[in-house]
Amino acid sequence: MLLRRLDAIMARWHHLIERACDPYRPERHYMRGPGPKWHARHPPGATGAVL
């Protein structure tokens, strides 16, 4: 019984350490706006809005 409890505690601790050391940060991979190809196709000052 004690060994099962200790094993569960160690598994949770290991999972916590893995999550803390995970190098993947999704906020670094989000798009930050139009890229160079979009800018090449759309001239400066041109908008898509029709007034």
Side-chain angles (χ1 to χ4, degrees):
M1 179 124 175
L2 179 62
L3 287 177
R4 269 191 248 165
R5 196 177 288 172
L6 182 60
D7 190 39
I9 291 171
M10 291 302 294
R12 288 181 187 157
W13 184 254
H14 183 70
H15 182 67
L16 178 68
I17 296 294
E18 279 184 347
R19 290 192 68 186
C21 296
D22 185 14
Y24 176 66
R25 297 286 185 257
E27 65 271 9
R28 294 182 181 174
H29 301 282
Y30 291 144
M31 289 188 62
R32 292 180 175 88
K37 286 187 179 181
W38 183 91
H39 287 289
R41 288 191 305 259
H42 298 85
T47 62
V50 177
L51 298 175

mmCIF file of all heavy atoms in Angstrom:
data_model
loop_
_atom_site.group_PDB
_atom_site.id
_atom_site.type_symbol
_atom_site.label_atom_id
_atom_site.label_comp_id
_atom_site.label_asym_id
_atom_site.label_seq_id
_atom_site.Cartn_x
_atom_site.Cartn_y
_atom_site.Cartn_z
ATOM 1 N N MET A 1 0.829 -1.201 0.000
ATOM 2 C CA MET A 1 0.000 0.000 0.000
ATOM 3 C C MET A 1 0.873 1.265 0.000
ATOM 4 O O MET A 1 0.622 2.186 -0.750
ATOM 5 C CB MET A 1 -0.916 -0.034 1.212
ATOM 6 C CG MET A 1 -1.788 1.163 1.304
ATOM 7 S SD MET A 1 -3.456 0.599 1.366
ATOM 8 C CE MET A 1 -4.299 2.074 1.616
ATOM 9 N N LEU A 2 1.867 1.251 0.851
ATOM 10 C CA LEU A 2 2.764 2.404 0.925
ATOM 11 C C LEU A 2 3.525 2.575 -0.386
ATOM 12 O O LEU A 2 3.725 3.699 -0.852
ATOM 13 C CB LEU A 2 3.732 2.244 2.093
ATOM 14 C CG LEU A 2 4.746 3.369 2.279
ATOM 15 C CD1 LEU A 2 4.012 4.674 2.578
ATOM 16 C CD2 LEU A 2 5.719 3.046 3.378
ATOM 17 N N LEU A 3 3.915 1.455 -0.989
ATOM 18 C CA LEU A 3 4.656 1.543 -2.254
ATOM 19 C C LEU A 3 3.777 2.098 -3.370
ATOM 20 O O LEU A 3 4.255 2.864 -4.205
ATOM 21 C CB LEU A 3 5.195 0.172 -2.643
ATOM 22 C CG LEU A 3 6.374 -0.326 -1.803
ATOM 23 C CD1 LEU A 3 6.778 -1.721 -2.237
ATOM 24 C CD2 LEU A 3 7.539 0.620 -1.901
ATOM 25 N N ARG A 4 2.500 1.729 -3.394
ATOM 26 C CA ARG A 4 1.596 2.261 -4.418
ATOM 27 C C ARG A 4 1.416 3.769 -4.255
ATOM 28 O O ARG A 4 1.420 4.510 -5.228
ATOM 29 C CB ARG A 4 0.222 1.584 -4.327
ATOM 30 C CG ARG A 4 0.141 0.382 -5.195
ATOM 31 C CD ARG A 4 -1.279 -0.072 -5.278
ATOM 32 N NE ARG A 4 -1.347 -1.350 -4.592
ATOM 33 C CZ ARG A 4 -2.434 -1.953 -4.193
ATOM 34 N NH1 ARG A 4 -3.593 -1.387 -4.386
ATOM 35 N NH2 ARG A 4 -2.395 -3.105 -3.604
ATOM 36 N N ARG A 5 1.282 4.189 -3.028
ATOM 37 C CA ARG A 5 1.111 5.622 -2.754
ATOM 38 C C ARG A 5 2.370 6.392 -3.146
ATOM 39 O O ARG A 5 2.300 7.458 -3.755
ATOM 40 C CB ARG A 5 0.781 5.818 -1.277
ATOM 41 C CG ARG A 5 0.211 7.183 -0.986
ATOM 42 C CD ARG A 5 -0.175 7.347 0.445
ATOM 43 N NE ARG A 5 -1.383 6.557 0.718
ATOM 44 C CZ ARG A 5 -1.880 6.382 1.931
ATOM 45 N NH1 ARG A 5 -1.278 6.906 2.974
ATOM 46 N NH2 ARG A 5 -2.969 5.678 2.108
ATOM 47 N N LEU A 6 3.520 5.833 -2.791
ATOM 48 C CA LEU A 6 4.791 6.469 -3.147
ATOM 49 C C LEU A 6 4.958 6.512 -4.664
ATOM 50 O O LEU A 6 5.421 7.515 -5.217
ATOM 51 C CB LEU A 6 5.956 5.720 -2.500
ATOM 52 C CG LEU A 6 7.346 6.298 -2.732
ATOM 53 C CD1 LEU A 6 7.427 7.719 -2.197
ATOM 54 C CD2 LEU A 6 8.394 5.423 -2.084
ATOM 55 N N ASP A 7 4.576 5.434 -5.345
ATOM 56 C CA ASP A 7 4.664 5.388 -6.802
ATOM 57 C C ASP A 7 3.768 6.458 -7.431
ATOM 58 O O ASP A 7 4.167 7.127 -8.389
ATOM 59 C CB ASP A 7 4.266 4.004 -7.298
ATOM 60 C CG ASP A 7 4.556 3.815 -8.774
ATOM 61 O OD1 ASP A 7 5.614 4.307 -9.224
ATOM 62 O OD2 ASP A 7 3.731 3.196 -9.462
ATOM 63 N N ALA A 8 2.564 6.629 -6.895
ATOM 64 C CA ALA A 8 1.653 7.649 -7.421
ATOM 65 C C ALA A 8 2.224 9.053 -7.208
ATOM 66 O O ALA A 8 2.155 9.911 -8.097
ATOM 67 C CB ALA A 8 0.284 7.532 -6.758
ATOM 68 N N ILE A 9 2.806 9.285 -6.045
ATOM 69 C CA ILE A 9 3.411 10.595 -5.761
ATOM 70 C C ILE A 9 4.577 10.848 -6.708
ATOM 71 O O ILE A 9 4.720 11.942 -7.266
ATOM 72 C CB ILE A 9 3.868 10.665 -4.286
ATOM 73 C CG1 ILE A 9 2.643 10.696 -3.374
ATOM 74 C CG2 ILE A 9 4.745 11.884 -4.055
ATOM 75 C CD1 ILE A 9 2.971 10.540 -1.906
ATOM 76 N N MET A 10 5.412 9.845 -6.929
ATOM 77 C CA MET A 10 6.557 10.012 -7.826
ATOM 78 C C MET A 10 6.103 10.236 -9.268
ATOM 79 O O MET A 10 6.711 11.033 -9.983
ATOM 80 C CB MET A 10 7.473 8.781 -7.735
ATOM 81 C CG MET A 10 8.200 8.662 -6.407
ATOM 82 S SD MET A 10 9.214 10.092 -6.009
ATOM 83 C CE MET A 10 10.443 9.979 -7.269
ATOM 84 N N ALA A 11 5.035 9.559 -9.682
ATOM 85 C CA ALA A 11 4.528 9.748 -11.048
ATOM 86 C C ALA A 11 4.020 11.173 -11.232
ATOM 87 O O ALA A 11 4.275 11.812 -12.257
ATOM 88 C CB ALA A 11 3.421 8.748 -11.333
ATOM 89 N N ARG A 12 3.298 11.675 -10.248
ATOM 90 C CA ARG A 12 2.807 13.067 -10.334
ATOM 91 C C ARG A 12 3.965 14.052 -10.337
ATOM 92 O O ARG A 12 3.939 15.046 -11.059
ATOM 93 C CB ARG A 12 1.871 13.366 -9.166
ATOM 94 C CG ARG A 12 0.549 12.684 -9.296
ATOM 95 C CD ARG A 12 -0.336 13.023 -8.148
ATOM 96 N NE ARG A 12 -1.559 12.240 -8.184
ATOM 97 C CZ ARG A 12 -2.302 11.984 -7.147
ATOM 98 N NH1 ARG A 12 -1.976 12.442 -5.965
ATOM 99 N NH2 ARG A 12 -3.387 11.262 -7.278
ATOM 100 N N TRP A 13 4.960 13.807 -9.496
ATOM 101 C CA TRP A 13 6.122 14.688 -9.428
ATOM 102 C C TRP A 13 6.867 14.686 -10.773
ATOM 103 O O TRP A 13 7.267 15.730 -11.273
ATOM 104 C CB TRP A 13 7.031 14.226 -8.296
ATOM 105 C CG TRP A 13 8.214 15.114 -8.085
ATOM 106 C CD1 TRP A 13 9.489 14.844 -8.432
ATOM 107 C CD2 TRP A 13 8.223 16.417 -7.510
ATOM 108 N NE1 TRP A 13 10.303 15.895 -8.110
ATOM 109 C CE2 TRP A 13 9.543 16.878 -7.539
ATOM 110 C CE3 TRP A 13 7.248 17.234 -6.983
ATOM 111 C CZ2 TRP A 13 9.912 18.116 -7.058
ATOM 112 C CZ3 TRP A 13 7.623 18.476 -6.501
ATOM 113 C CH2 TRP A 13 8.929 18.914 -6.537
ATOM 114 N N HIS A 14 7.030 13.499 -11.354
ATOM 115 C CA HIS A 14 7.708 13.388 -12.648
ATOM 116 C C HIS A 14 6.935 14.143 -13.729
ATOM 117 O O HIS A 14 7.525 14.844 -14.549
ATOM 118 C CB HIS A 14 7.857 11.914 -13.015
ATOM 119 C CG HIS A 14 8.605 11.684 -14.289
ATOM 120 N ND1 HIS A 14 9.948 11.909 -14.412
ATOM 121 C CD2 HIS A 14 8.186 11.264 -15.507
ATOM 122 C CE1 HIS A 14 10.328 11.635 -15.643
ATOM 123 N NE2 HIS A 14 9.276 11.242 -16.330
ATOM 124 N N HIS A 15 5.622 14.006 -13.721
ATOM 125 C CA HIS A 15 4.789 14.713 -14.703
ATOM 126 C C HIS A 15 4.925 16.232 -14.526
ATOM 127 O O HIS A 15 5.020 16.974 -15.511
ATOM 128 C CB HIS A 15 3.329 14.281 -14.537
ATOM 129 C CG HIS A 15 2.406 14.911 -15.521
ATOM 130 N ND1 HIS A 15 2.452 14.652 -16.881
ATOM 131 C CD2 HIS A 15 1.400 15.816 -15.355
ATOM 132 C CE1 HIS A 15 1.534 15.355 -17.489
ATOM 133 N NE2 HIS A 15 0.881 16.074 -16.585
ATOM 134 N N LEU A 16 4.952 16.694 -13.292
ATOM 135 C CA LEU A 16 5.110 18.129 -13.027
ATOM 136 C C LEU A 16 6.454 18.634 -13.538
ATOM 137 O O LEU A 16 6.530 19.689 -14.173
ATOM 138 C CB LEU A 16 4.976 18.386 -11.529
ATOM 139 C CG LEU A 16 5.174 19.821 -11.084
ATOM 140 C CD1 LEU A 16 4.032 20.703 -11.603
ATOM 141 C CD2 LEU A 16 5.243 19.907 -9.578
ATOM 142 N N ILE A 17 7.506 17.874 -13.308
ATOM 143 C CA ILE A 17 8.847 18.261 -13.777
ATOM 144 C C ILE A 17 8.878 18.298 -15.304
ATOM 145 O O ILE A 17 9.437 19.230 -15.898
ATOM 146 C CB ILE A 17 9.909 17.275 -13.237
ATOM 147 C CG1 ILE A 17 9.986 17.336 -11.717
ATOM 148 C CG2 ILE A 17 11.268 17.545 -13.864
ATOM 149 C CD1 ILE A 17 10.485 18.637 -11.161
ATOM 150 N N GLU A 18 8.264 17.301 -15.960
ATOM 151 C CA GLU A 18 8.228 17.291 -17.429
ATOM 152 C C GLU A 18 7.514 18.514 -17.974
ATOM 153 O O GLU A 18 7.959 19.131 -18.934
ATOM 154 C CB GLU A 18 7.521 16.028 -17.927
ATOM 155 C CG GLU A 18 8.392 14.803 -17.943
ATOM 156 C CD GLU A 18 7.651 13.614 -18.529
ATOM 157 O OE1 GLU A 18 6.412 13.675 -18.691
ATOM 158 O OE2 GLU A 18 8.315 12.618 -18.821
ATOM 159 N N ARG A 19 6.391 18.872 -17.366
ATOM 160 C CA ARG A 19 5.640 20.037 -17.850
ATOM 161 C C ARG A 19 6.397 21.329 -17.612
ATOM 162 O O ARG A 19 6.350 22.251 -18.420
ATOM 163 C CB ARG A 19 4.276 20.104 -17.179
ATOM 164 C CG ARG A 19 3.373 18.982 -17.654
ATOM 165 C CD ARG A 19 1.969 19.191 -17.247
ATOM 166 N NE ARG A 19 1.429 20.335 -17.955
ATOM 167 C CZ ARG A 19 0.239 20.842 -17.723
ATOM 168 N NH1 ARG A 19 -0.542 20.294 -16.814
ATOM 169 N NH2 ARG A 19 -0.202 21.879 -18.393
ATOM 170 N N ALA A 20 7.120 21.426 -16.520
ATOM 171 C CA ALA A 20 7.884 22.642 -16.214
ATOM 172 C C ALA A 20 9.072 22.809 -17.161
ATOM 173 O O ALA A 20 9.468 23.931 -17.460
ATOM 174 C CB ALA A 20 8.361 22.607 -14.769
ATOM 175 N N CYS A 21 9.636 21.705 -17.636
ATOM 176 C CA CYS A 21 10.823 21.762 -18.497
ATOM 177 C C CYS A 21 10.477 21.677 -19.984
ATOM 178 O O CYS A 21 11.379 21.601 -20.808
ATOM 179 C CB CYS A 21 11.775 20.628 -18.135
ATOM 180 S SG CYS A 21 12.422 20.782 -16.464
ATOM 181 N N ASP A 22 9.212 21.680 -20.337
ATOM 182 C CA ASP A 22 8.795 21.576 -21.729
ATOM 183 C C ASP A 22 9.218 22.833 -22.484
ATOM 184 O O ASP A 22 8.808 23.931 -22.127
ATOM 185 C CB ASP A 22 7.285 21.388 -21.813
ATOM 186 C CG ASP A 22 6.794 21.151 -23.221
ATOM 187 O OD1 ASP A 22 7.628 20.872 -24.097
ATOM 188 O OD2 ASP A 22 5.571 21.234 -23.438
ATOM 189 N N PRO A 23 10.054 22.700 -23.524
ATOM 190 C CA PRO A 23 10.538 23.884 -24.231
ATOM 191 C C PRO A 23 9.501 24.507 -25.172
ATOM 192 O O PRO A 23 9.696 25.626 -25.629
ATOM 193 C CB PRO A 23 11.732 23.358 -25.038
ATOM 194 C CG PRO A 23 11.403 21.926 -25.280
ATOM 195 C CD PRO A 23 10.642 21.477 -24.048
ATOM 196 N N TYR A 24 8.411 23.796 -25.467
ATOM 197 C CA TYR A 24 7.413 24.326 -26.405
ATOM 198 C C TYR A 24 6.592 25.414 -25.744
ATOM 199 O O TYR A 24 6.010 25.220 -24.689
ATOM 200 C CB TYR A 24 6.499 23.206 -26.894
ATOM 201 C CG TYR A 24 5.386 23.708 -27.785
ATOM 202 C CD1 TYR A 24 5.670 24.252 -29.029
ATOM 203 C CD2 TYR A 24 4.063 23.662 -27.369
ATOM 204 C CE1 TYR A 24 4.663 24.712 -29.841
ATOM 205 C CE2 TYR A 24 3.046 24.127 -28.180
ATOM 206 C CZ TYR A 24 3.352 24.643 -29.412
ATOM 207 O OH TYR A 24 2.339 25.114 -30.211
ATOM 208 N N ARG A 25 6.555 26.581 -26.349
ATOM 209 C CA ARG A 25 5.747 27.695 -25.857
ATOM 210 C C ARG A 25 4.861 28.147 -27.013
ATOM 211 O O ARG A 25 5.344 28.772 -27.961
ATOM 212 C CB ARG A 25 6.637 28.856 -25.410
ATOM 213 C CG ARG A 25 7.556 28.534 -24.260
ATOM 214 C CD ARG A 25 6.780 28.439 -22.954
ATOM 215 N NE ARG A 25 7.652 28.248 -21.818
ATOM 216 C CZ ARG A 25 7.826 27.080 -21.218
ATOM 217 N NH1 ARG A 25 7.202 26.025 -21.657
ATOM 218 N NH2 ARG A 25 8.630 26.975 -20.196
ATOM 219 N N PRO A 26 3.567 27.808 -26.999
ATOM 220 C CA PRO A 26 2.702 28.114 -28.141
ATOM 221 C C PRO A 26 2.605 29.604 -28.439
ATOM 222 O O PRO A 26 2.455 29.985 -29.590
ATOM 223 C CB PRO A 26 1.352 27.540 -27.746
ATOM 224 C CG PRO A 26 1.423 27.248 -26.304
ATOM 225 C CD PRO A 26 2.861 27.118 -25.941
ATOM 226 N N GLU A 27 2.744 30.452 -27.441
ATOM 227 C CA GLU A 27 2.630 31.891 -27.710
ATOM 228 C C GLU A 27 3.738 32.402 -28.615
ATOM 229 O O GLU A 27 3.605 33.439 -29.253
ATOM 230 C CB GLU A 27 2.607 32.679 -26.393
ATOM 231 C CG GLU A 27 3.872 32.605 -25.580
ATOM 232 C CD GLU A 27 3.924 31.448 -24.601
ATOM 233 O OE1 GLU A 27 3.041 30.571 -24.656
ATOM 234 O OE2 GLU A 27 4.867 31.417 -23.787
ATOM 235 N N ARG A 28 4.838 31.654 -28.726
ATOM 236 C CA ARG A 28 5.925 32.049 -29.622
ATOM 237 C C ARG A 28 5.654 31.661 -31.066
ATOM 238 O O ARG A 28 6.387 32.071 -31.960
ATOM 239 C CB ARG A 28 7.224 31.395 -29.179
ATOM 240 C CG ARG A 28 7.711 31.897 -27.841
ATOM 241 C CD ARG A 28 9.014 31.258 -27.494
ATOM 242 N NE ARG A 28 9.472 31.717 -26.191
ATOM 243 C CZ ARG A 28 10.523 31.246 -25.577
ATOM 244 N NH1 ARG A 28 11.246 30.302 -26.144
ATOM 245 N NH2 ARG A 28 10.868 31.708 -24.403
ATOM 246 N N HIS A 29 4.621 30.848 -31.312
ATOM 247 C CA HIS A 29 4.360 30.344 -32.646
ATOM 248 C C HIS A 29 3.100 30.929 -33.273
ATOM 249 O O HIS A 29 2.745 30.536 -34.366
ATOM 250 C CB HIS A 29 4.261 28.813 -32.611
ATOM 251 C CG HIS A 29 5.512 28.176 -32.094
ATOM 252 N ND1 HIS A 29 6.646 28.028 -32.847
ATOM 253 C CD2 HIS A 29 5.816 27.684 -30.872
ATOM 254 C CE1 HIS A 29 7.592 27.460 -32.131
ATOM 255 N NE2 HIS A 29 7.111 27.241 -30.927
ATOM 256 N N TYR A 30 2.426 31.809 -32.582
ATOM 257 C CA TYR A 30 1.217 32.417 -33.149
ATOM 258 C C TYR A 30 1.607 33.380 -34.260
ATOM 259 O O TYR A 30 2.673 33.999 -34.227
ATOM 260 C CB TYR A 30 0.436 33.182 -32.097
ATOM 261 C CG TYR A 30 -0.196 32.313 -31.053
ATOM 262 C CD1 TYR A 30 -0.276 32.734 -29.744
ATOM 263 C CD2 TYR A 30 -0.719 31.067 -31.367
ATOM 264 C CE1 TYR A 30 -0.870 31.942 -28.774
ATOM 265 C CE2 TYR A 30 -1.306 30.277 -30.411
ATOM 266 C CZ TYR A 30 -1.377 30.716 -29.114
ATOM 267 O OH TYR A 30 -1.952 29.939 -28.174
ATOM 268 N N MET A 31 0.728 33.537 -35.237
ATOM 269 C CA MET A 31 0.994 34.486 -36.317
ATOM 270 C C MET A 31 0.949 35.910 -35.753
ATOM 271 O O MET A 31 0.131 36.213 -34.902
ATOM 272 C CB MET A 31 -0.037 34.330 -37.421
ATOM 273 C CG MET A 31 0.129 33.050 -38.199
ATOM 274 S SD MET A 31 -0.944 32.990 -39.624
ATOM 275 C CE MET A 31 -0.349 34.366 -40.549
ATOM 276 N N ARG A 32 1.809 36.738 -36.255
ATOM 277 C CA ARG A 32 1.893 38.107 -35.758
ATOM 278 C C ARG A 32 1.457 39.129 -36.808
ATOM 279 O O ARG A 32 1.745 40.290 -36.686
ATOM 280 C CB ARG A 32 3.322 38.382 -35.315
ATOM 281 C CG ARG A 32 3.717 37.600 -34.096
ATOM 282 C CD ARG A 32 5.145 37.904 -33.700
ATOM 283 N NE ARG A 32 5.502 37.249 -32.470
ATOM 284 C CZ ARG A 32 5.993 36.033 -32.382
ATOM 285 N NH1 ARG A 32 6.183 35.334 -33.482
ATOM 286 N NH2 ARG A 32 6.295 35.507 -31.226
ATOM 287 N N GLY A 33 0.778 38.673 -37.843
ATOM 288 C CA GLY A 33 0.309 39.597 -38.861
ATOM 289 C C GLY A 33 0.696 39.113 -40.244
ATOM 290 O O GLY A 33 1.303 38.077 -40.418
ATOM 291 N N PRO A 34 0.342 39.892 -41.248
ATOM 292 C CA PRO A 34 0.634 39.497 -42.627
ATOM 293 C C PRO A 34 2.142 39.421 -42.878
ATOM 294 O O PRO A 34 2.914 40.210 -42.351
ATOM 295 C CB PRO A 34 0.016 40.606 -43.466
ATOM 296 C CG PRO A 34 -0.853 41.385 -42.562
ATOM 297 C CD PRO A 34 -0.405 41.128 -41.164
ATOM 298 N N GLY A 35 2.512 38.472 -43.709
ATOM 299 C CA GLY A 35 3.922 38.284 -44.029
ATOM 300 C C GLY A 35 4.328 39.014 -45.299
ATOM 301 O O GLY A 35 3.549 39.781 -45.881
ATOM 302 N N PRO A 36 5.540 38.780 -45.764
ATOM 303 C CA PRO A 36 6.058 39.502 -46.929
ATOM 304 C C PRO A 36 5.295 39.206 -48.221
ATOM 305 O O PRO A 36 5.156 40.092 -49.064
ATOM 306 C CB PRO A 36 7.511 39.047 -47.030
ATOM 307 C CG PRO A 36 7.658 37.886 -46.127
ATOM 308 C CD PRO A 36 6.542 37.930 -45.142
ATOM 309 N N LYS A 37 4.778 37.978 -48.388
ATOM 310 C CA LYS A 37 4.021 37.674 -49.606
ATOM 311 C C LYS A 37 2.719 38.464 -49.643
ATOM 312 O O LYS A 37 2.304 38.944 -50.696
ATOM 313 C CB LYS A 37 3.731 36.179 -49.704
ATOM 314 C CG LYS A 37 4.939 35.366 -50.064
ATOM 315 C CD LYS A 37 4.573 33.922 -50.304
ATOM 316 C CE LYS A 37 5.787 33.125 -50.681
ATOM 317 N NZ LYS A 37 5.441 31.727 -50.939
ATOM 318 N N TRP A 38 2.065 38.615 -48.500
ATOM 319 C CA TRP A 38 0.827 39.390 -48.441
ATOM 320 C C TRP A 38 1.131 40.850 -48.785
ATOM 321 O O TRP A 38 0.414 41.480 -49.558
ATOM 322 C CB TRP A 38 0.197 39.302 -47.058
ATOM 323 C CG TRP A 38 -1.111 40.012 -46.974
ATOM 324 C CD1 TRP A 38 -2.347 39.483 -47.210
ATOM 325 C CD2 TRP A 38 -1.330 41.391 -46.647
ATOM 326 N NE1 TRP A 38 -3.317 40.428 -47.042
ATOM 327 C CE2 TRP A 38 -2.717 41.628 -46.694
ATOM 328 C CE3 TRP A 38 -0.500 42.455 -46.317
ATOM 329 C CZ2 TRP A 38 -3.278 42.863 -46.426
ATOM 330 C CZ3 TRP A 38 -1.063 43.679 -46.049
ATOM 331 C CH2 TRP A 38 -2.442 43.876 -46.114
ATOM 332 N N HIS A 39 2.209 41.388 -48.225
ATOM 333 C CA HIS A 39 2.575 42.780 -48.497
ATOM 334 C C HIS A 39 2.942 42.986 -49.970
ATOM 335 O O HIS A 39 2.686 44.059 -50.522
ATOM 336 C CB HIS A 39 3.735 43.217 -47.600
ATOM 337 C CG HIS A 39 3.330 43.434 -46.176
ATOM 338 N ND1 HIS A 39 2.549 44.496 -45.765
ATOM 339 C CD2 HIS A 39 3.568 42.716 -45.064
ATOM 340 C CE1 HIS A 39 2.342 44.423 -44.474
ATOM 341 N NE2 HIS A 39 2.947 43.336 -44.015
ATOM 342 N N ALA A 40 3.518 41.978 -50.599
ATOM 343 C CA ALA A 40 3.878 42.097 -52.018
ATOM 344 C C ALA A 40 2.619 42.141 -52.890
ATOM 345 O O ALA A 40 2.611 42.806 -53.926
ATOM 346 C CB ALA A 40 4.766 40.932 -52.433
ATOM 347 N N ARG A 41 1.550 41.448 -52.490
ATOM 348 C CA ARG A 41 0.319 41.421 -53.283
ATOM 349 C C ARG A 41 -0.581 42.620 -53.019
ATOM 350 O O ARG A 41 -1.454 42.918 -53.826
ATOM 351 C CB ARG A 41 -0.461 40.147 -52.975
ATOM 352 C CG ARG A 41 0.155 38.897 -53.532
ATOM 353 C CD ARG A 41 -0.782 37.721 -53.420
ATOM 354 N NE ARG A 41 -1.238 37.490 -52.064
ATOM 355 C CZ ARG A 41 -0.759 36.564 -51.230
ATOM 356 N NH1 ARG A 41 0.214 35.778 -51.642
ATOM 357 N NH2 ARG A 41 -1.237 36.424 -50.042
ATOM 358 N N HIS A 42 -0.400 43.297 -51.900
ATOM 359 C CA HIS A 42 -1.264 44.421 -51.537
ATOM 360 C C HIS A 42 -0.447 45.703 -51.466
ATOM 361 O O HIS A 42 0.407 45.839 -50.592
ATOM 362 C CB HIS A 42 -1.927 44.165 -50.188
ATOM 363 C CG HIS A 42 -2.815 42.963 -50.213
ATOM 364 N ND1 HIS A 42 -2.345 41.688 -50.011
ATOM 365 C CD2 HIS A 42 -4.148 42.849 -50.423
ATOM 366 C CE1 HIS A 42 -3.342 40.837 -50.083
ATOM 367 N NE2 HIS A 42 -4.447 41.495 -50.352
ATOM 368 N N PRO A 43 -0.684 46.637 -52.358
ATOM 369 C CA PRO A 43 0.099 47.873 -52.352
ATOM 370 C C PRO A 43 -0.149 48.689 -51.078
ATOM 371 O O PRO A 43 -1.234 48.609 -50.500
ATOM 372 C CB PRO A 43 -0.403 48.619 -53.590
ATOM 373 C CG PRO A 43 -1.715 48.001 -53.937
ATOM 374 C CD PRO A 43 -1.699 46.613 -53.410
ATOM 375 N N PRO A 44 0.830 49.459 -50.649
ATOM 376 C CA PRO A 44 0.658 50.280 -49.450
ATOM 377 C C PRO A 44 -0.475 51.286 -49.627
ATOM 378 O O PRO A 44 -0.652 51.872 -50.701
ATOM 379 C CB PRO A 44 1.988 51.022 -49.310
ATOM 380 C CG PRO A 44 2.949 50.343 -50.225
ATOM 381 C CD PRO A 44 2.153 49.600 -51.229
ATOM 382 N N GLY A 45 -1.257 51.463 -48.601
ATOM 383 C CA GLY A 45 -2.359 52.432 -48.638
ATOM 384 C C GLY A 45 -3.656 51.865 -49.191
ATOM 385 O O GLY A 45 -4.702 52.481 -49.062
ATOM 386 N N ALA A 46 -3.629 50.717 -49.813
ATOM 387 C CA ALA A 46 -4.851 50.106 -50.363
ATOM 388 C C ALA A 46 -5.581 49.378 -49.230
ATOM 389 O O ALA A 46 -4.987 48.654 -48.465
ATOM 390 C CB ALA A 46 -4.507 49.131 -51.468
ATOM 391 N N THR A 47 -6.863 49.612 -49.144
ATOM 392 C CA THR A 47 -7.667 48.923 -48.132
ATOM 393 C C THR A 47 -8.772 48.148 -48.845
ATOM 394 O O THR A 47 -9.150 48.464 -49.959
ATOM 395 C CB THR A 47 -8.313 49.916 -47.145
ATOM 396 O OG1 THR A 47 -9.177 50.771 -47.849
ATOM 397 C CG2 THR A 47 -7.254 50.730 -46.426
ATOM 398 N N GLY A 48 -9.309 47.177 -48.186
ATOM 399 C CA GLY A 48 -10.375 46.375 -48.759
ATOM 400 C C GLY A 48 -11.761 46.956 -48.474
ATOM 401 O O GLY A 48 -12.763 46.475 -48.949
ATOM 402 N N ALA A 49 -11.823 48.008 -47.686
ATOM 403 C CA ALA A 49 -13.098 48.587 -47.289
ATOM 404 C C ALA A 49 -13.647 49.485 -48.395
ATOM 405 O O ALA A 49 -12.921 50.248 -49.025
ATOM 406 C CB ALA A 49 -12.934 49.410 -46.014
ATOM 407 N N VAL A 50 -14.941 49.355 -48.637
ATOM 408 C CA VAL A 50 -15.610 50.198 -49.617
ATOM 409 C C VAL A 50 -16.484 51.185 -48.855
ATOM 410 O O VAL A 50 -17.306 50.798 -48.042
ATOM 411 C CB VAL A 50 -16.484 49.345 -50.576
ATOM 412 C CG1 VAL A 50 -17.226 50.237 -51.532
ATOM 413 C CG2 VAL A 50 -15.613 48.337 -51.302
ATOM 414 N N LEU A 51 -16.290 52.451 -49.093
ATOM 415 C CA LEU A 51 -17.063 53.474 -48.358
ATOM 416 C C LEU A 51 -18.284 53.924 -49.115
ATOM 417 O O LEU A 51 -18.446 54.050 -50.216
ATOM 418 C CB LEU A 51 -16.185 54.669 -48.041
ATOM 419 C CG LEU A 51 -14.997 54.343 -47.133
ATOM 420 C CD1 LEU A 51 -14.133 55.580 -46.978
ATOM 421 C CD2 LEU A 51 -15.458 53.864 -45.792
#
